[in-house]
Amino acid sequence: QKEVEQNSGPLSVPEGAIASLNCTYSDRGSQSFFWYRQYSGKSPELIMFIYSNGDKEDGRFTAQLNKASQYVSLLIRDSQPSDSATYLCAVNVQAGTALIFGKGTTLSVSS
Amino acid sequence: GAVVSQHPSWVICKSGTSVKIECRSLDFQATTMFWYRQFPKQSLMLMATSNEGSKATYEQGVEKDKFLINHASLTLSTLTVTSAHPEDSSFYICSAAVGGYEQYFGPGTRLTVT
């Protein structure tokens, strides 16, 4: 059974702080890794994807991948109240197949 | 990023009727589309994988005769909920694969069956 694990939270951080979201996956054959943000009542929005070990930065977001540890994380710098949402980690084993999602981590940024 | 649309965004129907939901990739061709269902405060649940020109692959426990999926072109997939019942009320979301790995979601369709 391929699994993606996330801490459900809620993770609470003050405005301006760094939010760190973590995810582990069970299938070593996983090829690609995604972070989606989902606001309540809305569909998921793709924030970042990463394929190779290391860091990938895009604005305030940094995705980190460690395939040896089967671990992927998302850092949000200078967190804003508008970042408050559920963050879904997803992995893909093979192109064209469905993503395997974690249950999501709820982030709350207080002003 | 790639844009995926869904229509309608919300629909209310009477029990026993059928409802069709359309999913379109607007600026790319999607050989594969996926249909999900999400109940309040729960995770996304994959219902089926839809490939253009072939029959959809349904996840275990999803009734293929109740949830009819047609992927008629590289930009359009439809989900028809047949003989809908109140327990089918949910948030239905499609996604489309770009280049094999990246998947973009449509805005979702909220179905309420009365």
Side-chain angles (χ1 to χ4, degrees), chain A residues 3 11-12 21 25 29-30 44 49 57 60 65 77 82 88:
Chain A
E3 293 183 344
L11 172 66
S12 297
L21 303 160
Y25 58 95
S30 298
F49 58 88
E57 185 175 320
R60 296 187 295 114
L65 174 62
R77 290 181 299 281
S82 58
L88 301 169

Side-chain angles (χ1 to χ4, degrees), chain A residues 3-80:
Chain A
E3 293 183 344
V4 175
E5 299 285 344
Q6 292 181 257
N7 188 325
S8 62
L11 172 66
S12 297
V13 300
E15 183 175 359
I18 296 175
S20 177
L21 303 160
N22 305 313
C23 171
T24 58
Y25 58 95
S26 63
D27 191 335
R28 283 195 173 276
S30 298
Q31 297 291 320
S32 51
F33 308 85
F34 304 86
W35 283 100
Y36 288 85
R37 176 175 63 196
Q38 185 174 26
Y39 292 111
S40 180
K42 302 294 186 181
S43 69
E45 172 192 9
L46 181 61
I47 300 174
M48 295 280 294
F49 58 88
I50 186 168
Y51 297 156
S52 304
N53 275 328
D55 295 359
K56 179 181 179 183
E57 185 175 320
D58 183 1
R60 296 187 295 114
F61 299 98
T62 299
Q64 299 174 316
L65 174 62
N66 184 326
K67 288 189 176 181
S69 300
Q70 295 175 239
Y71 176 90
V72 59
S73 66
L74 178 70
L75 299 178
I76 306 175
R77 290 181 299 281
D78 188 24
S79 295
Q80 301 297 310

Side-chain angles (χ1 to χ4, degrees), chain A residues 31-32 34 36 38 41-46 49 51 88 92-99 101-104, chain B residues 6 32 34 36 38 42-44 46 49 51 59 91 93 97 99-108 110:
Chain A
Q31 297 291 320
S32 51
F34 304 86
Y36 288 85
Q38 185 174 26
K42 302 294 186 181
S43 69
E45 172 192 9
L46 181 61
F49 58 88
Y51 297 156
L88 301 169
N92 194 299
V93 176
Q94 183 178 348
T97 62
L99 296 176
F101 281 91
K103 294 186 182 301
Chain B
Q6 274 185 250
T32 306
F34 305 90
Y36 296 83
Q38 188 174 36
Q42 293 190 23
S43 304
L44 290 167
L46 178 66
T49 299
N51 289 293
E59 295 298 302
F91 191 39
I93 316 172
Y101 285 110
E102 297 164 43
Q103 293 181 21
Y104 293 86
F105 284 87
R110 193 162 302 283

